[in-house]
Amino acid sequence: MIANDSEGPLLPPGAKPRAVILLPEKDAYLAGIYFNLLERAGFLPRLATGEDSLDGDDLTLMGFQMAAANPKLAQSIPAHRLLIDFHFKKDYEQNPTAYPFHLLDHLTVIVHDHEAERFLLKSIRAMNCKTALFPYKSQVNACAIGPGERKIFSPAEFKGHPWLAGMEVEYISPPFPPMAPAGSFIVAPEYDPAIWPTLFWGAEGGLPAVLPANESFSSWFFYGALLFDPSSQEDFNFKTSMLSRPAPAGTKPEGVKRKIGIVAPRHGRNAPGGAETLADNLARNLRTAGHDAEIITTCTDSMIKWNNHLSEGLSNDEGLPVRRFAIDKTDQTGFHSIGHKINKREPVSWTEETEWLRLSIRSRAMEAYLKAHEADYDHLFFVPYLYGTAYWPSQIAPEKSYLIPCYHREAPAYTRALRQNAMWVSGISFNTLAEKRLAETELKIRNENTEVIGLGVDTRIKGDPARFRAKTGVDYDFLLYVGRLQREKNVPQLLDYFHSGAGQIKSGLLLAGMGDVRVKDDPSIRLKSLGFVPEQEKIDAYSACLAFVLPSTQESFSIVMMESWLQGRPVIANAACNVAREHIYTCGGGLLYSDAAEFAQAVRKLEQDKAYADELGQKGREYALANFQWENIIARLDKFLNGAPPRPLWERLGEAARRSSYALSEGREGPMTHMLSEIRRNLMGGEVAYETPLLEALANVDEQSHIHPEYREFSDRPVIGPLLSKIRGLMTNHLRKNYLEILESKQTRFNSETVKIIRRLFEDIRKLGG
């Protein structure tokens, strides 16, 4: 909040307040920018060079170095009449007590990048310091792209840096070369505020960069650079090699056999998990279509233990070639420690994110093989996005790498390192439109080559309801759940809803699967856990059920929905699952529920009208047959790969870098202009102004009102942590069930409605002139 002037008379009506700009001569370009800004904001600005020329000014804009050299002058100006221009310097961080940073307490300080903001607020912790971020265009001309041999440029400040030793680098400083050969890029092994002019020179001409992932670069150049762990030379070398690769060859003609590697963290015909099933089925159906496809995976048979139980080398799995590589020695304690912070949505540095991926399922033996043999492959598909088996190997040949991410609305998907992974691959294949929309809107992923390809399902499978009933003895209508019995799949809520509706629902509930959620059979309400069931028995169960239930809110495709529909049975799905909503609204093959009452209502509707249930199931079957037969999926995938020829990574990032430079240059004066207008208004005797207008603040609250239940694991120990969490869960489950989960489910709506009421009151008061 900016206080009214309490010293001296206010300016007469209509008068313009006078402002003086006091910056060193080397900042003449910036002084000119401030002069124009102040003039447009209604001030009478002027430039000054010394203390004796500051008499009678209403506002002083002073550089920090001048304030440090003339502390008495800075202290003599009232805080509400003083703005400080602050540029971050490395020496400030190395020798913080050598500078009078106390002068910045209780002032408004204009910073030009996030590093300066971070230093003020987190390093020296300036007290009650309000920062105004004002990035501005440097006084440099953009480079032009021309012919010649590709170059690696680096700011002259890094000459002699050990990370650049042995690398053919051209060191540059103003005035910059007017032209750069196609394929060139900029590298900066560490952060230095002096390199911004070099970045502007390159970005405006379309040169990408390899930059340390500090706050400034991850904010302004996230899409136009490859960001690396600032503490890791290995990561710096990885990213530099990616941009150094030659331009990719053109696509093969349609119908020509392709060599395709599908990289997954584990493989096995009976391995649980949608991603593993996707990889296996995709590879087999690509081979059926005439392509030379193989699985590239690790030696583990457990996604919990990360062991190396399976043999290394090439093997044959019922006609499918499978290459296995040993997993690196892992530190699961370290992995879970960082993963715990990520899942709780706590602040995590880029270095921690990268370390988390190093400690994930990673195989350097696999990476060495791909590096030596990447020329043998036309395409490499990585599935899913979550593990080191996608993040590290996809950096080897990004122009032929494709991601099948299987995104859910889960905390790891929002990490910056994994979002960059989706940016550097040549393309992304999504399973549903809902997954694509999640990536584009919430995850802010930008990749020019994306398509909704979907998954195929085995349409030949046929269930026998009589066989299932004879084997299990189930002679009543029942709802069916198939999948892991885990909180992440929302199984506890399904059990709660079923129990609460037991007096109204006649059908039983059968659950097929294994997991951490204990299901106690209850014959009185026909609740039964089947445990693990063989594939054919699972299909028989689908064909015998009244309806399949999908309680999960986090799906990227939901194979189980398709399996149910192929047996002609309807689906009752959680309305909070975007993927389920998309499928059901597209085909009309089921019903959606949002709470226990709607769940019970949907079940009763199907119980009372079996013909209607059959009709919904038939609609779902027609939808699955029309869209998700493997022949159709492979045809869509072929069309996707035969689309636009792959573009080199430097070219794609260069275009994004140009857009980033425009964002820095255009439209960034708005916050500064708003702040200066508020200062002028108060100098003229206006009312006290708030930093954020109330309506804008309410809009921000409205956008952030959604509640994310916190991750429940609290220990980073791989064995003790889950054990203690389970004990705690048993002791406090009555609290969660009776109080906490109810609050979580209602809080989002409460927040939103409260904001609407406050906004309405504010608008009514404003209409009345209050």
Side-chain angles (χ1 to χ4, degrees):
M1 189 166 65
I2 303 170
N4 282 320
D5 191 349
S6 59
E7 298 183 15
L10 295 173
L11 295 171
K16 288 187 176 183
R18 292 178 296 175
V20 60
I21 302 167
L22 195 58
L23 295 175
E25 291 185 12
K26 66 181 181 63
D27 290 335
Y29 174 69
L30 178 58
I33 293 175
Y34 277 136
F35 188 97
N36 293 331
L37 269 178
L38 286 162
E39 193 170 45
R40 289 198 297 273
F43 287 83
L44 289 174
R46 64 189 184 87
L47 303 177
T49 57
E51 179 179 350
D52 54 344
S53 58
L54 299 183
D55 184 40
D57 291 293
D58 301 294
L59 181 68
T60 300
L61 195 158
M62 181 185 297
F64 173 69
Q65 287 184 310
M66 282 197 167
N70 302 277
K72 290 185 178 180
L73 174 61
Q75 294 173 25
S76 69
I77 303 172
H80 59 281
R81 292 174 175 267
L82 179 62
L83 297 177
I84 295 292
D85 175 83
F86 182 83
H87 291 256
F88 174 74
K89 298 182 182 297
K90 288 195 293 185
D91 189 57
Y92 290 166
E93 200 143 49
Q94 295 166 357
N95 303 290
T97 58
Y99 300 91
F101 292 120
H102 67 283
L103 294 176
L104 304 179
D105 291 348
H106 307 288
L107 292 183
T108 297
V109 181
I110 303 170
V111 296
H112 305 285
D113 58 46
H114 289 284
E115 284 305 288
E117 188 174 47
R118 174 200 59 78
F119 176 73
L120 288 179
L121 302 182
K122 297 181 182 179
S123 293
I124 67 167
R125 298 181 178 87
M127 295 179 60
N128 196 28
C129 172
K130 174 187 171 185
T131 58
L133 183 62
F134 176 46
Y136 65 94
K137 179 180 176 182
S138 300
Q139 193 178 16
V140 296
N141 295 320
C143 75
I145 304 297
E149 187 175 350
R150 179 185 60 225
K151 293 182 178 180
I152 299 177
F153 297 103
S154 185
E157 287 79 8
F158 299 124
K159 194 169 186 177
H161 195 286
W163 287 12
L164 301 178
M167 191 182 297
E168 293 187 10
V169 176
E170 181 174 321
Y171 297 97
I172 56 175
S173 58
F176 297 114
M179 184 172 293
S184 300
F185 58 94
I186 298 167
V187 297
E190 63 182 71
Y191 180 74
D192 190 315
I195 71 176
W196 283 97
T198 308
L199 293 179
F200 273 113
W201 166 79
E204 291 197 351
L207 291 189
V210 176
L211 301 173
N214 65 355
E215 293 189 41
S216 291
F217 293 153
S218 61
S219 294
W220 300 120
F221 283 99
F222 186 85
Y223 300 105
L226 291 178
L227 303 179
F228 63 89
D229 172 6
S231 68
S232 172
Q233 184 177 358
E234 177 196 41
D235 199 22
F236 171 75
N237 292 337
F238 255 119
K239 300 304 191 293
T240 302
S241 66
M242 291 169 69
L243 283 179
S244 299
R245 290 183 59 80
T251 58
K252 286 189 174 183
E254 191 170 351
V256 174
K257 180 179 179 181
R258 303 169 189 267
K259 174 76 170 185
I260 299 174
I262 301 174
V263 184
R266 69 169 170 173
H267 178 264
R269 291 303 302 271
N270 295 320
E276 290 86 349
T277 302
L278 185 162
D280 181 85
N281 290 338
L282 177 60
R284 294 179 187 279
N285 283 277
L286 282 168
R287 293 184 69 82
T288 300
H291 297 297
D292 183 8
E294 67 179 29
I295 295 289
I296 301 172
T297 187
T298 71
C299 295
T300 190
D301 62 0
S302 171
M303 294 300 286
I304 297 175
K305 298 178 181 178
W306 297 358
N307 53 43
N308 280 311
H309 280 182
L310 304 176
S311 300
E312 289 187 79
L314 181 63
S315 61
N316 187 290
D317 183 357
E318 299 180 16
L320 176 64
V322 179
R323 293 185 188 273
R324 298 188 188 277
F325 299 89
I327 291 177
D328 294 355
K329 185 178 180 180
T330 59
D331 174 7
Q332 289 204 32
T333 295
F335 175 81
H336 287 294
S337 177
I338 301 173
H340 174 68
K341 293 177 64 176
I342 291 172
N343 282 311
K344 289 204 65 166
R345 300 177 185 268
E346 294 179 357
V348 177
S349 69
W350 197 290
T351 296
E352 288 177 302
E353 290 183 5
T354 308
E355 182 65 11
W356 179 67
L357 288 164
R358 285 194 192 96
L359 299 174
S360 175
I361 298 179
R362 183 182 184 185
S363 172
R364 284 182 171 82
M366 176 195 290
E367 295 164 25
Y369 168 80
L370 289 174
K371 190 170 184 179
H373 296 275
E374 57 91 2
D376 299 340
Y377 295 89
D378 296 301
H379 308 288
L380 292 167
F381 284 93
F382 296 89
V383 55
Y385 81 95
L386 187 57
Y387 301 103
T389 48
Y391 182 80
W392 300 106
S394 66
Q395 300 181 46
I396 294 169
E399 72 282 353
K400 61 176 64 175
S401 295
Y402 293 80
L403 192 64
I404 307 178
C406 303
Y407 286 127
H408 306 310
R409 187 179 281 107
E410 55 188 352
Y414 295 81
T415 56
R416 293 162 297 177
L418 288 174
R419 288 168 52 223
Q420 271 236 325
N421 188 181
M423 180 189 74
W424 70 57
V425 294
S426 185
I428 305 176
S429 170
F430 292 109
N431 294 327
T432 59
L433 177 63
E435 183 193 7
K436 184 173 185 285
R437 291 287 186 256
L438 169 70
E440 293 169 340
T441 56
E442 292 194 33
L443 305 184
K444 302 292 190 298
I445 286 171
R446 304 287 182 264
N447 189 305
E448 64 182 20
N449 190 25
T450 64
E451 190 61 70
V452 178
I453 303 297
L455 292 181
V457 289
D458 188 352
T459 58
R460 301 166 298 176
I461 56 176
K462 180 65 177 175
D464 186 335
R467 181 169 55 198
F468 176 79
R469 293 186 181 278
K471 181 173 182 178
T472 60
V474 175
D475 59 357
Y476 46 82
D477 287 338
F478 65 91
L479 307 172
L480 177 67
Y481 169 82
V482 175
R484 288 175 287 143
L485 303 183
Q486 292 183 326
R487 285 186 176 274
E488 291 78 6
K489 291 295 184 180
N490 219 17
V491 173
Q493 185 191 77
L494 171 61
L495 295 172
D496 287 345
Y497 284 5
F498 182 72
H499 278 100
S500 66
Q504 310 168 53
I505 297 173
K506 297 179 181 179
S507 301
L509 173 62
L510 274 57
L511 298 99
M514 306 290 287
D516 297 333
V517 176
R518 295 178 58 190
V519 180
K520 185 177 181 180
D521 290 359
D522 187 346
S524 67
I525 58 173
R526 297 174 175 176
L527 174 65
K528 183 179 182 62
S529 175
L530 301 174
F532 174 79
V533 296
E535 184 69 18
Q536 185 58 55
E537 185 178 339
K538 179 184 73 171
I539 302 304
D540 291 346
Y542 281 123
S543 65
C545 71
L546 172 70
F548 172 75
V549 183
L550 184 78
S552 172
T553 62
Q554 299 180 1
E555 298 291 319
S556 67
F557 178 73
S558 190
I559 293 175
V560 288
M561 289 183 71
M562 298 303 154
E563 290 176 338
S564 176
W565 277 334
L566 286 171
Q567 302 312 309
R569 303 318 303 153
V571 173
I572 300 175
N574 193 322
C577 179
N578 287 345
V579 167
R581 287 166 55 84
E582 178 184 332
H583 287 319
I584 288 177
Y585 280 132
T586 301
C587 71
L591 302 172
L592 297 168
Y593 67 89
S594 297
D595 52 32
E598 290 185 2
F599 173 77
Q601 181 182 1
V603 176
R604 289 199 309 273
K605 187 174 182 64
L606 298 183
E607 288 175 338
Q608 295 166 5
D609 193 342
K610 300 291 181 62
Y612 179 62
D614 293 341
E615 178 186 343
L616 297 186
Q618 184 59 33
K619 287 181 179 179
R621 176 175 170 78
E622 292 171 359
Y623 172 67
L625 289 173
N627 294 281
F628 303 110
Q629 297 195 57
W630 271 111
E631 294 83 355
N632 297 336
I633 299 300
I634 299 302
R636 288 203 288 268
L637 188 60
D638 276 337
K639 184 177 180 180
F640 177 54
L641 297 176
N642 283 321
R647 300 172 65 197
L649 181 59
W650 70 264
E651 184 179 314
R652 291 190 284 125
L653 293 186
E655 286 187 0
R658 188 181 290 113
R659 289 193 294 270
S660 296
S661 71
Y662 293 158
L664 278 165
S665 304
E666 305 292 335
R668 295 299 176 182
E669 296 182 358
M672 277 293 297
T673 301
H674 175 76
M675 183 189 73
L676 292 173
S677 297
E678 293 291 355
I679 292 174
R680 177 182 176 277
R681 179 181 180 184
N682 289 295
L683 290 173
M684 296 292 293
E687 65 182 19
V688 174
Y690 290 88
E691 294 176 11
T692 305
L694 182 54
L695 287 177
E696 182 182 339
L698 291 173
N700 292 339
V701 172
D702 200 9
E703 290 176 3
Q704 299 169 13
S705 63
H706 186 70
I707 295 298
H708 296 278
E710 287 193 341
Y711 183 65
R712 293 177 175 85
E713 296 291 336
F714 70 94
S715 173
D716 56 20
R717 301 293 179 181
V719 177
I720 300 300
L723 179 60
L724 293 177
S725 294
K726 188 165 290 185
I727 293 172
R728 183 190 64 175
L730 292 173
M731 295 175 65
T732 62
N733 190 56
H734 67 288
L735 295 175
R736 172 158 293 282
K737 177 181 176 181
N738 295 330
Y739 304 104
L740 300 181
E741 290 184 354
I742 295 174
L743 290 173
E744 286 173 356
S745 64
K746 303 298 183 183
Q747 188 65 51
T748 297
R749 182 177 178 184
F750 175 80
N751 289 352
S752 181
E753 292 300 321
T754 301
V755 167
K756 290 178 182 177
I757 292 170
I758 295 174
R759 183 186 289 115
R760 196 177 303 123
L761 287 172
F762 176 81
E763 291 174 346
D764 289 344
I765 292 171
R766 188 172 59 175
K767 289 176 183 178
L768 294 173

